[in-house]
Amino acid sequence: MTTYIIRRILISIPVLLGVTVLNFFIVQLAPGSPADLYLDPNASPDYKERVEAALGLDQPIMVQYLNWLGQLVRGDLGLSYVSRTPVAEVIGSRIGPTLLLMGAALVVAYAIAIPVGILAAKRKGTWADYTVVGGAFFGVSIPHFFLGLGLIYVFALQLGWLPTGNMATIGGDGGGLWDRIQHLILPVAVLATAISGNMVRYVRSSMVDALSEDYVRTAHAKGLPPGVVTHKHALRNALIPLVTVLSVDLAGLLGGAIVTEQIFQWPGLGMLTIQSISSRDYSVLMGVNLIAALAVFAANLLADIVYAVVDPRIEYT
Amino acid sequence: MSEPTTLTSPSTQTAAARAVVASLGKEESYLRTVVRRFFRHRLAGIGLFAFLAMILVAVLAPLLAPHDPNQIFDQFQAAPSSAHLLGTDPVGRDVLSRLIYGARVSITVSVGAVSVYVIIGVCVGLAAGYYGKVVDSVLMRVVDVFMSFPYFMVILILVAVIGPSLMNITLAIGVLGWPVISRLVRGSVLSIKNQDYVKAGIALGYSTPKILFQHILPNALSPIIVNATFGIANAIILESGLSFLGLGVRPPAASWGNMLSDAQSITVMTSQPWLWLPPGIAIFVTVLAINFVGDGLRDALESRETKSHR
Amino acid sequence: MSVIEATTRKARARAGVPDGEPLLSVQDLKLHYPIRGGIVSRQTGAVRAVDGVSFEVFPGETLGIVGESGCGKSTTGRAIIRLENPTAGAVVFGGRDLAGLNTRELRRVRLNLQMVFQDPYSSLNPQKRIGDLLAEPLVAHGRASRKEAGERVTEMLDRVGLSAQFKGRYPHELSGGQRQRVGIARALMLDPTLLVLDEPVSALDVSIQAQVLNLLRDLQAELGLTYIFISHGLGAVRYISDRIVVMYLGKVMEVATTAELFANPRHPYTEILLDAYPAPNPHLRDKERTVVEGDVPNAAKPPSGCVFHTRCPFAQDKCRTEEPRLGGGSHAFACHFPLDAGRPTAASGNPETTKNPGVPA
C-alpha cells in the first residue's frame, strides 16, 4: 500500500504541471494583448512595444509560460493588472470568507445528509423515503441564484429575520458573533442545499446496497439487534465511498460559491472572480483559478490516499 | 494501471440465471423491457412529458409567444394583465414571450454542449480503454488535469476570456465537460474488451474502428445515456448561472438566467415578483423534469432485470 | 476409416499442404505475462502461462489439448490465432511464421484460422441479431453484398442445424446450445481451414454436449476442417480427437494418438489425469487410483527440473534438477522415468494396474 501511495503521488506530478499549463493557456485565449490593459488606448505603438517588452510579452509563448512557472514556484503569482498589488495578497485577503462559507456549508450538508440518507435507506419505500428522495431532487435541481433570491425574499425582505447580504452589518461594530452567524445562515443554506441533495442520494443508495449484502443478512440471521447490524456492519461499508465524494463536492462548492457570494455580496474568492472578470484583471483570474484547481487537486489526491487506507477491498499494483 | 480496481464485477449474472431468462417462452425485446421499467417510475414519465413539452415550446416559440420578445411596449414593469399575462419588464418587453423564447436558449445550449462533450468523451474513453498502456496513462492524466478545475469556475473564466455568446458558452461547457464521460466509457471498455465477442471480432479480422464503434460502444451506451441526461439538466443550470452573472447570452436576447439577473434589486424582488419568479420556476421545473428522466433511465437501463437481458 | 481419409484429403487439398506435412506447427511457443511491481513499475517476474510448447497439427485431424485449468491450454489456443502475442517461438501456418507478418498480412492469413469460444453467452454481441452477426464477416471483408450474405447465412444456419428463422433473433433469445451453434457458424463464414475450439462444450448441458460434438464431427467431414480441440473434459476430448496433447503448467507432458494415450499413458501426470476421469463402466470403478497431492504450483515460480515433480508420486532426485525433454516419435512424453509400456490398463477391462515407475532407482 505504501508503494501505491508513493506511486499515486508520483503520478500526480505531471497532473500538477498540466494544471499550470491549462491555467496559463486559458487566459492566453484572450483577444488582444494584456498590455492594452495597462495602457491608455491612445498610447503610441512604439511605447506599447516597450511596455510589452518590459512585461516579457514579446517572447515566445513557451518562454512566457516558463517564466510564469518560475515565478509561481517561488510563490509569486504576479501583480494585479488593476490594483498593482501582488495577486497573492489580493487572494489572501479574500480566501478567509470563502473558506468560512464553504466549511460551514460542508458541515451542515454532511450533518443533514448522512442521518437523513441512512433513515431513507432503512425505511426504503415508505413515505419517509419518498420525502427524503423528493427533497434531494429539489436540492440538486434548484439553481443557487434562484434559491438565494427566494430565501432573501422570504427571510430577509418579508419576514425581516435575517440580513440580505454581506458578512457583517455595515456601520455596526462588525464584531458580534451572532451578527456573523445571522449573515452566514442564508448563503450557507444555499450552498448546503445543493451538496446535501447529492449527498443524500449517495448515502441512501450506498446504504441500500450495503443493507442487501449477504453479510448484513447473515448478521440479521445471527440474531444481532437491528441497530448493531445497521451501524456496525452496513454503515461502515456504506460510508467509505463518501471519501471520494468529498473531493467532487469541493469542486462543486467552489463553483457554487461564485454565484452565492455574488448574490449575498459575500466578500470572498467568488466575488473576487466576478469583479476581476468585469475589470478584465486576468492575472487575478489566473491566480484564483489556480488556487481553486490546486485545492481540488489536493483533495483528489488526499481522497485516493485515504481510500487506500480505509478500504481493504482494493487491490493495488 | 494505477487506478484502484474494485473487486465487484459488472455482470455478476450467472449463466444459469441468464439461461432461465433466455428460455422463458414469451420473450420481451430489450427495448420494451427498458420502456416498461422506465414508465413504472411515475415521476420519470411525468418528467419526460414535461421535458418534451419544453422542447415543443422551444421549437414552436414563434407560434406560441403572444408578442415579439424584443418588442417594446409603452408600459414597463407592468403587473400581469390580460394584455401581458406575466407583465412587462423594465424595458417594456412582454415577460411571457421572453420566457418562451428563453426555452430556446436553454435547450440549444444544453443539448449542444452535452453533444460536444459526449463526442469528445466517447472518443477519449474508447481510445484509453481499448489501447491501454501508454495511451491510457497519458489520456487519464489529461482527464485528471481537467477534473482538477472546479467546473463552474473554469467555464466562467473561459467564457469571460473568449467572450460571452451562445456559441461560446456551448463550446466552453462542451470542451470542459468531457472528462467524466471519458472515465465512464473507459471503464465500460475495459470490461467489454475482454468479452469473447470482441475477441471473435479480432479473429474475424474486423478493423479496429469497426470493433470500437460497432461492437464495444453499443454495449457501453447505458451509462453514457444516463450521464448525458443528467448533463443536460446540469448544463441548463450552468447556462442560466452564466447568464445570471452577465456572462451568458447577451441582451437583448432572452434567456432565463439573464431575466433573473434583473431581479437583483430589492424593489424588483419585493414589488415585481413576475419579473423573477417565472424564469426561476421555469429553470427549476425543467431541470427537475430532466433529473427525473435521468433517474428513470438509470433504473431502466442499469437494473439487474434489464441487464440480465443481455 | 474412409471418412477420415476423405476428410484428410479434402483438408489437404483446401490448405494446399503436401502429403505428410503439417498444416500448423507450433514451435517452442512461449507466452509470459510480465508481473510489474515497485514504484516505477519495473518488471519483477513473469507468469509463464505457456512455456516452450511444440506440436504439429496435420490437415483433417483433430488435435485435442487437455490439462487442468491454468495449464496454459487456452492461452496456447489464443496465441495460435494471435489474440495474444507470444513472447517467443513460432507458429508456422501454411509455411509462414505468423510472428513475422505485418498487421495487414496477419489479418489476411488469420482469416484461415478461426476460433470458437467457451462461453456462448459472452461470445456473441448481445446487440446484434443472429443474421447480422453471421453476415458481418462476409460484408466486412467484401466477400459478399448484404443480399448475397443473407443467402449464405441461411445456408450456414442450415448446416449447423438451425432454421432460417433464427436470423431475426437476438442472442439472448437462444439457448446455450443454439448460441454455440451460432458461434460455430460464425467461425465458418469465412471458410477457414483450421478451427481452434476453446472448450466449446464445457459450458453446455451434458445432453447438449453430445449434439454439438456430433455437429463438429459432421462439419469436419463435410468441409474438410482441421480442429484444435481444447478441453479439460477428457470425455469430450477422447470422443472427438485423433491425437491428444497433455499439458501441465505451461508445458507439454505427453503427445500420442487417442487410442495409444488411453491404452498406454507413459507420463505419470497423464495417468493421474486418466484416473481422475470416471469410468463409464461401474464395474471398473473400484480399481486402485493414483491420487495426486497438493495444488498446481504457481506459474510465476515454476518448480525446478520437471515441473511436475512436486506432485509426482514417483519423483526422484533427477526430476528435481534436470528438466526432461519431450521425446520424438508418434508417442512422445517428457519424463525421466516413464511408466511401463504395454501393460494392461483399465480400458482393457483389467482392474489391476501397475503403479511402479518404469525405471526404479
Side-chain angles (χ1 to χ4, degrees), chain B:
Chain B
M1 270 326 308
S2 62
E3 302 278 318
T5 346
T6 47
L7 293 176
T8 46
S9 93
S11 65
T12 44
Q13 287 290 319
T14 61
R18 282 177 297 191
V20 169
V21 174
S23 64
L24 287 174
K26 277 183 218 149
E27 270 299 338
E28 199 176 19
S29 82
Y30 173 67
L31 196 67
R32 280 190 58 176
T33 317
V34 170
V35 171
R36 182 174 57 79
R37 281 196 59 96
F38 178 82
F39 284 104
R40 210 160 73 183
H41 261 246
R42 212 168 300 151
L43 286 175
I46 296 171
L48 183 65
F49 179 77
F51 182 45
L52 291 178
M54 200 58 76
I55 292 176
L56 212 63
V57 167
V59 172
L60 301 178
L63 299 176
L64 295 174
H67 302 284
D68 182 306
N70 293 323
Q71 189 186 350
I72 294 166
F73 295 90
D74 344 335
Q75 326 126 279
F76 35 86
Q77 303 192 3
S81 63
S82 57
H84 302 286
L85 288 176
L86 290 175
T88 59
D89 70 4
V91 188
R93 295 170 298 196
D94 183 58
V95 172
L96 178 61
S97 304
R98 292 184 71 72
L99 198 65
I100 289 172
Y101 273 85
R104 288 193 149 182
V105 171
S106 291
I107 303 286
T108 316
V109 172
S110 58
V111 173
V114 170
S115 312
V116 170
Y117 79 59
V118 165
I119 291 171
I120 303 176
V122 162
C123 292
V124 172
L126 283 176
Y130 190 74
Y131 291 106
K133 297 190 180 123
V134 185
V135 178
D136 184 38
S137 317
V138 171
L139 289 176
M140 284 304 110
R141 295 298 81 75
V142 174
V143 165
D144 288 346
V145 169
F146 273 82
M147 289 188 84
S148 292
F149 288 90
Y151 197 30
F152 187 71
M153 183 180 279
V154 70
I155 288 171
L156 189 71
I157 292 175
L158 182 58
V159 170
V161 166
I162 61 179
S165 74
L166 190 91
M167 185 61 149
N168 282 355
I169 50 178
T170 308
L171 284 179
I173 297 174
V175 166
L176 295 167
W178 59 271
V180 179
I181 295 277
S182 66
R183 273 200 182 166
L184 271 180
V185 174
R186 171 182 177 270
S188 310
V189 173
L190 285 181
S191 66
I192 295 171
K193 78 168 176 183
N194 288 321
Q195 297 278 317
D196 285 342
Y197 60 82
V198 174
K199 304 269 180 198
I202 297 170
L204 289 163
Y206 298 159
S207 66
T208 306
K210 183 179 171 74
I211 289 172
L212 282 176
F213 289 100
Q214 290 187 25
H215 291 260
I216 294 181
L217 187 58
N219 289 293
L221 277 183
S222 300
I224 303 175
I225 291 170
V226 172
N227 192 281
T229 310
F230 287 124
I232 289 176
N234 197 31
I236 290 178
I237 291 191
L238 289 171
E239 180 278 319
S240 56
L242 288 170
S243 298
F244 176 77
L245 294 172
L247 284 162
V249 182
R250 306 246 79 179
S255 128
W256 294 341
N258 69 21
M259 290 171 77
L260 259 167
S261 71
D262 297 338
Q264 286 186 85
S265 79
I266 291 178
T267 12
V268 170
M269 287 195 64
T270 44
S271 53
Q272 286 133 15
W274 63 87
L275 286 181
W276 65 278
L277 277 176
I281 291 170
I283 299 168
F284 173 62
V285 168
T286 310
V287 170
L288 191 65
I290 299 171
N291 278 335
F292 282 147
V293 173
D295 210 50
L297 279 175
R298 176 158 57 195
D299 242 43
L301 290 168
E302 298 186 354
S303 71
R304 293 214 173 140
E305 189 182 332
T306 33
K307 269 194 176 159
S308 69
H309 240 142
R310 311 292 205 82

Side-chain angles (χ1 to χ4, degrees), chain B residues 15 18-19 21-23 27-30 195-200 202-208 210 214-216 218-219 308-310, chain C residues 78 81 83 107 110-111 113-115 117-119 121-128 133 136-137 140-141 172-174 179 186-187 190:
Chain B
R18 282 177 297 191
V21 174
S23 64
E27 270 299 338
E28 199 176 19
S29 82
Y30 173 67
Q195 297 278 317
D196 285 342
Y197 60 82
V198 174
K199 304 269 180 198
I202 297 170
L204 289 163
Y206 298 159
S207 66
T208 306
K210 183 179 171 74
Q214 290 187 25
H215 291 260
I216 294 181
N219 289 293
S308 69
H309 240 142
R310 311 292 205 82
Chain C
R78 285 170 188 249
I81 66 166
L83 284 178
R107 190 168 275 173
R110 192 163 57 185
L111 298 184
L113 301 169
Q114 284 300 318
M115 185 147 183
F117 296 85
Q118 171 174 12
D119 181 1
Y121 294 94
S122 83
S123 63
L124 303 177
N125 185 341
Q127 304 273 353
K128 296 206 174 207
L133 280 171
E136 204 176 10
H141 290 287
H172 72 79
E173 298 173 65
L174 274 58
R179 284 173 180 231
R186 179 181 56 189
L190 294 173

Side-chain angles (χ1 to χ4, degrees), chain C residues 29-327:
Chain C
L29 187 73
K30 289 185 182 171
L31 203 147
H32 297 178
Y33 295 105
I35 304 171
R36 292 179 190 284
I39 289 161
V40 287
S41 82
R42 248 191 323 260
Q43 186 175 337
T44 53
V47 174
R48 295 156 178 250
V50 180
D51 201 19
V53 165
S54 303
F55 57 79
E56 291 176 328
V57 188
F58 293 91
E61 77 165 341
T62 298
L63 180 77
I65 304 182
V66 283
E68 294 165 271
S69 52
C71 72
K73 55 190 190 302
S74 283
T75 314
T76 304
R78 285 170 188 249
I80 288 172
I81 66 166
R82 281 287 287 278
L83 284 178
E84 315 240 11
N85 283 325
T87 314
V91 175
V92 179
F93 179 77
R96 305 219 280 172
D97 180 5
L98 299 186
L101 302 180
N102 65 33
T103 319
R104 180 178 295 179
E105 287 173 317
L106 176 71
R107 190 168 275 173
R108 213 178 50 239
V109 172
R110 192 163 57 185
L111 298 184
N112 287 312
L113 301 169
Q114 284 300 318
M115 185 147 183
V116 175
F117 296 85
Q118 171 174 12
D119 181 1
Y121 294 94
S122 83
S123 63
L124 303 177
N125 185 341
Q127 304 273 353
K128 296 206 174 207
R129 291 171 197 273
I130 304 304
D132 296 331
L133 280 171
L134 295 183
E136 204 176 10
L138 295 175
V139 176
H141 290 287
R143 295 205 184 166
S145 67
R146 286 226 158 262
K147 206 172 162 195
E148 294 159 357
E151 290 164 26
R152 299 273 299 278
V153 169
T154 313
E155 253 174 62
M156 188 57 78
L157 281 172
D158 181 53
R159 194 154 248 168
V160 298
L162 296 174
S163 74
Q165 289 175 349
F166 281 90
K167 274 189 189 175
R169 302 212 186 146
Y170 284 96
H172 72 79
E173 298 173 65
L174 274 58
S175 71
Q178 290 168 338
R179 284 173 180 231
Q180 201 57 304
R181 286 168 193 266
V182 173
I184 293 166
R186 179 181 56 189
L188 292 175
M189 287 311 291
L190 294 173
D191 293 321
T193 45
L194 186 131
L195 275 194
V196 175
L197 305 156
D198 185 7
E199 307 253 10
V201 297
S202 306
L204 304 178
D205 292 345
V206 181
S207 56
I208 310 291
Q209 287 189 2
Q211 293 176 14
V212 172
L213 287 175
N214 285 332
L215 171 69
L216 286 169
R217 268 192 161 180
D218 295 348
L219 287 169
Q220 184 171 40
E222 248 173 83
L223 303 170
L225 295 167
T226 308
Y227 289 157
I228 294 178
F229 187 94
I230 298 164
S231 179
H232 65 268
L234 273 174
V237 173
R238 183 180 194 176
Y239 182 74
I240 200 163
S241 306
D242 300 308
R243 287 192 306 133
I244 296 177
V245 173
V246 179
M247 280 184 72
Y248 179 78
L249 217 64
K251 291 180 189 290
V252 174
M253 297 288 107
E254 188 163 4
V255 184
T257 61
T258 305
E260 174 71 11
L261 190 88
F262 276 82
N264 246 334
R266 301 299 305 277
H267 199 289
Y269 178 65
T270 310
E271 166 95 353
I272 286 164
L273 210 60
L274 299 186
D275 270 2
Y277 171 58
N281 184 342
H283 298 297
L284 300 177
R285 281 182 192 163
D286 53 356
K287 75 167 190 139
E288 192 186 334
R289 285 169 187 270
T290 315
V291 180
V292 72
E293 283 169 12
D295 289 326
V296 182
N298 184 350
K301 291 178 210 132
S304 61
C306 172
V307 287
F308 188 56
H309 85 250
T310 52
R311 301 170 77 199
C312 183
F314 316 119
Q316 312 284 323
D317 284 345
K318 190 183 182 189
C319 303
R320 297 185 186 95
T321 52
E322 197 181 313
E323 186 178 348
R325 296 218 337 235
L326 187 68

